[in-house]
């Protein structure tokens, strides 16, 4: 009997020995490739995080203005972290079992997401590449229609006293000429680039080999490029309205006998001369009759800005969904809930004894990252906040991309990985 048991154990060892050797070989192979891959990824990541000087703020990075660069930075981060997580999984420690399980789920979840992203992106990219001529012509027509012709027709409509609004003729003509000039310049540039649109669509289709997230990122950047003239017009209109509101506040303090003390950051009482009050009355009259004209053109470009931002918000949500969806954890939860324990509970059996049961982790804990992302997105695009920005002539900006990302590995895990290497 003992000899039969020993024979089975030896046969099991013979079966498991090649698997263990293959696992060790795979670990050595990944460890051999991890160092040059980490160096290359660090170089790409440093390029994506280059601060932009000039018109941008000092804390604005290259990846903050381009969805494609942001997506490259995400893939670079994953290429750095995946070998580290593989080492943490390979060298298991019973004392750190929860952390090991967490890295195990995170590692295979990332692998699944990348594979699904590449598969879907290859299919979509093949469709775009095969129909690049038709799609390029279609995109060119739609860009010409919605970003150039529609804006020009709306500007001409506003300049002709729309729906009975009697705007200031000279100021309306100035705004119409200015915004028409900006639109015509950008429309001429787009007209020059229209023959290359099929090649752009073909390039986007080829980039589908890197995943459908790369296609969405390129589309987001293309949308920003094709509507750049609308953003310039929006900035100009917002600055003009902001100055008008600031002047209104100054005139309001003037008529109340107040003035703003900049040094002490407060409003003090002040006695104005009759000439100052007369000048304030003249300025108030001019502002009252000119402000409706300014407000009409400001409303036009606020609406276009909101439309573009909502499209960007949808694309950023899709990118976050594709990059961080807990697919592997959800499959484990549905297939084998015991592998995702969230606690224990006791059940009284028919014999009167207490049985220990495993309580699986709830789905709300699996999707907690998406709950955080949704809370950030909903807070940023809250209608009350948007209305406050519109009425105060503040710039409406899309949500910053780093706010809807989360770190794939913690600092304690990095320290553990360094201990393993040492």
């Amino acid at each position: 009997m003992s000899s039969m048991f020993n024979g089975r154990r030896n046969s099991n060892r013979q079966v498991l020995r090649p698997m263990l050797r293959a696992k060790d070989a795979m670990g050595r192979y990944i460890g051999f490739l991890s160092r040059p891959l980490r160096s290359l990824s660090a170089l790409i990541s440093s390029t994506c995080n280059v601060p932009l000087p000039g018109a941008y703020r000092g804390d604005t990075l290259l990846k903050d203005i381009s969805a494609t660069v942001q997506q490259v930075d995400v893939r670079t981060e994953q290429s750095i972290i995946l070998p580290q997580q593989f080492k943490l999984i390979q060298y298991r420690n019973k004392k750190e079992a929860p952390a090991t399980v967490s890295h195990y789920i995170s590692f295979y979840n990332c692998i699944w997401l990348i594979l699904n992203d590449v598969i879907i992106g290859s299919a979509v990219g093949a469709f775009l590449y095969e129909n690049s001529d038709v799609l390029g012509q279609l995109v060119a027509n739609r860009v010409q229609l919605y970003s150039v012709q529609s804006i020009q027709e709306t500007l001409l409509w506003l300049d002709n006293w729309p729906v009975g609004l009697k705007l200031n003729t000279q100021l309306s003509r100035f705004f119409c000429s200015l915004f028409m000039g900006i639109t015509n310049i950008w429309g001429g540039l787009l007209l020059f680039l229209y023959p290359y649109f099929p090649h752009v669509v073909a390039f986007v289709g080829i980039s589908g080999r890197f995943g459908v997230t790369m296609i969405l990122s390129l589309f987001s950047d293309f949308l920003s490029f094709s509507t750049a003239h609308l953003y310039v017009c929006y900035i100009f209109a917002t600055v003009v309205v902001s100055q008008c509101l600031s002047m209104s506040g100054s005139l309001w303090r003037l008529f109340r006998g107040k003035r703003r003390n900049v040094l002490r950051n407060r409003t003090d009482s002040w006695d104005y001369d009759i000439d100052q009050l007369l000048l304030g009355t003249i300025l108030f009259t001019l502002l009252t009759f000119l402000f409706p004209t300014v407000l009409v053109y400001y409303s036009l470009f606020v609406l276009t800005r909101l439309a573009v931002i909502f499209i960007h918000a949808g694309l950023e949500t899709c990118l976050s969904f594709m990059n961080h969806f807990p697919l592997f954890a959800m499959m484990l939860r549905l297939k084998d809930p015991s592998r995702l324990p969230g606690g224990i509970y006791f059940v009284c059996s028919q014999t009167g004894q207490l049985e220990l049961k495993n309580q699986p982790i709830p789905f709300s804990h699996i999707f907690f990252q998406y709950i955080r992302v949704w809370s950030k997105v909903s807070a940023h695009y809250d209608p009350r906040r948007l209305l406050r920005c519109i009425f105060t002539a503040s710039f409406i900006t899309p949500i910053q991309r780093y706010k809807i990302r989360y770190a794939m590995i913690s600092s304690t895990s990095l320290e553990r990985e360094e201990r393993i290497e040492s």
Side-chain angles (χ1 to χ4, degrees):
M1 193 73 178
S2 60
S3 61
M4 184 181 299
F5 178 75
N6 292 331
R8 288 182 179 178
R9 186 170 57 182
N10 293 331
S11 62
N12 292 333
R13 288 180 179 178
Q14 293 178 359
V15 173
L16 294 176
R17 192 172 299 166
M19 297 176 62
L20 295 175
R21 290 178 179 176
K23 182 179 179 181
D24 294 338
M26 183 178 178
R28 290 193 297 269
Y29 181 72
I30 293 178
F32 175 75
L33 293 179
S34 62
R35 294 185 181 275
L37 182 62
R38 184 182 299 180
S39 301
L40 179 62
S41 300
L43 177 62
I44 297 175
S45 179
S46 61
T47 304
C48 296
N49 290 272
V50 171
L52 295 178
Y56 293 96
R57 297 175 302 173
D59 57 347
T60 302
L61 306 179
L62 179 61
K63 64 181 182 180
D64 295 332
I65 65 171
S66 174
T68 304
V69 179
Q70 180 77 18
Q71 183 60 30
V72 171
D73 185 66
V74 171
R75 288 289 181 254
T76 303
E77 180 186 4
Q78 292 173 346
S79 64
I80 294 175
I81 291 175
L82 284 178
Q84 299 176 1
Q85 288 184 335
F86 182 80
K87 290 181 180 180
L88 294 175
I89 295 171
Q90 188 179 17
Y91 297 95
R92 297 181 179 180
N93 189 352
K94 294 182 179 180
K95 296 181 179 180
E96 300 177 353
T100 303
V101 172
S102 176
H103 292 306
Y104 173 82
I105 295 174
S106 179
F107 176 80
Y108 285 102
N109 185 77
C110 185
I111 295 295
W112 276 36
L113 290 179
I114 293 176
L115 292 178
N116 292 333
D117 186 20
V118 172
I119 292 172
I120 299 174
S122 300
V124 176
F127 173 78
L128 295 177
Y129 184 80
E130 293 175 359
N131 302 275
S132 59
D133 295 333
V134 178
L135 293 176
Q137 187 65 31
L138 180 63
V139 171
N141 294 334
R142 291 297 180 267
V143 170
Q144 177 69 20
L145 176 62
Y146 293 113
S147 66
V148 178
Q149 292 181 1
S150 299
I151 300 300
Q152 292 175 345
E153 293 175 358
T154 306
L155 289 173
L156 293 176
W157 178 68
L158 291 178
D159 192 35
N160 293 322
W161 290 7
V163 294
L165 293 176
K166 295 183 179 181
L167 305 178
N168 184 274
T169 305
Q170 289 75 18
L171 184 60
S172 177
R173 191 163 300 168
F174 168 75
F175 280 138
C176 182
S177 301
L178 175 65
F179 295 139
M180 283 285 289
I182 296 174
T183 306
N184 289 333
I185 293 174
W186 197 253
L189 177 62
L190 293 177
L191 186 62
F192 174 76
L193 296 176
Y194 284 159
Y196 301 98
F197 273 32
H199 303 287
V200 173
V201 175
F203 173 77
V204 174
I206 295 174
S207 67
R209 302 293 181 180
F210 299 98
V212 70
T213 52
M214 187 60 65
I215 296 177
L216 295 177
S217 301
L218 289 172
F219 178 74
S220 178
D221 289 340
F222 177 77
L223 178 64
S224 300
F225 174 78
S226 60
T227 59
H229 61 296
L230 300 179
Y231 182 60
V232 173
C233 295
Y234 166 74
I235 290 178
F236 182 82
T238 303
V239 170
V240 172
V241 173
S242 177
Q243 293 300 322
C244 291
L245 294 178
S246 177
M247 184 181 295
S248 301
S250 300
L251 293 176
W252 172 250
R253 289 190 293 269
L254 173 67
F255 295 146
R256 292 189 302 142
K258 304 287 185 179
R259 74 167 186 175
R260 182 67 179 173
N261 192 336
V262 182
L263 296 178
R264 297 187 177 182
N265 194 19
R266 67 184 186 185
T267 301
D268 299 332
S269 299
W270 188 257
D271 294 331
Y272 291 98
D273 298 334
I274 188 65
D275 296 337
Q276 293 174 330
L277 294 175
L278 180 61
L279 178 60
T281 304
I282 296 173
L283 292 177
F284 178 76
T285 304
L286 292 175
L287 183 63
T288 302
F289 285 100
L290 295 180
F291 187 71
T293 305
V294 178
L295 187 61
V296 166
Y297 285 92
Y298 171 72
S299 302
L300 169 64
F301 292 105
V302 162
L303 293 177
T304 58
R305 182 61 179 168
L306 288 176
V308 173
I309 282 183
F310 286 153
I311 296 176
H312 278 296
L315 293 174
E316 293 295 338
T317 304
C318 293
L319 288 174
S320 177
F321 179 85
M322 296 295 296
N323 286 323
H324 307 296
F325 185 74
L327 179 62
F328 187 73
M330 187 182 67
M331 295 298 294
L332 285 180
R333 178 64 174 80
L334 295 175
K335 181 182 178 182
D336 190 5
S338 61
R339 298 187 64 178
L340 291 177
I344 58 174
Y345 65 96
F346 294 93
V347 177
C348 183
S349 63
Q350 296 179 355
T351 59
Q353 298 178 352
L354 293 178
E355 294 183 1
L356 183 64
K357 296 290 185 179
N358 177 31
Q359 183 176 2
I361 188 172
F363 284 99
S364 59
H365 290 182
I366 297 177
F367 291 93
F368 76 99
Q369 291 288 352
Y370 276 92
I371 296 175
R372 291 182 180 179
V373 169
W374 178 252
S375 62
K376 293 178 181 179
V377 172
S378 60
H380 187 82
Y381 296 109
D382 184 31
R384 293 172 296 181
R385 177 184 174 275
L386 294 178
L387 289 176
R388 184 171 62 253
C389 291
I390 292 173
F391 290 131
T392 59
S394 302
F395 289 107
I396 303 175
T397 57
I399 188 171
Q400 295 175 335
R401 295 182 177 94
Y402 70 88
K403 291 185 178 180
I404 55 178
R405 287 179 57 182
Y406 65 94
M408 294 178 58
I409 193 168
S410 60
S411 58
T412 56
S413 301
L414 291 177
E415 296 176 356
R416 182 188 169 198
E417 195 266 341
E418 292 176 356
R419 292 198 306 269
I420 292 174
E421 288 184 350
S422 61

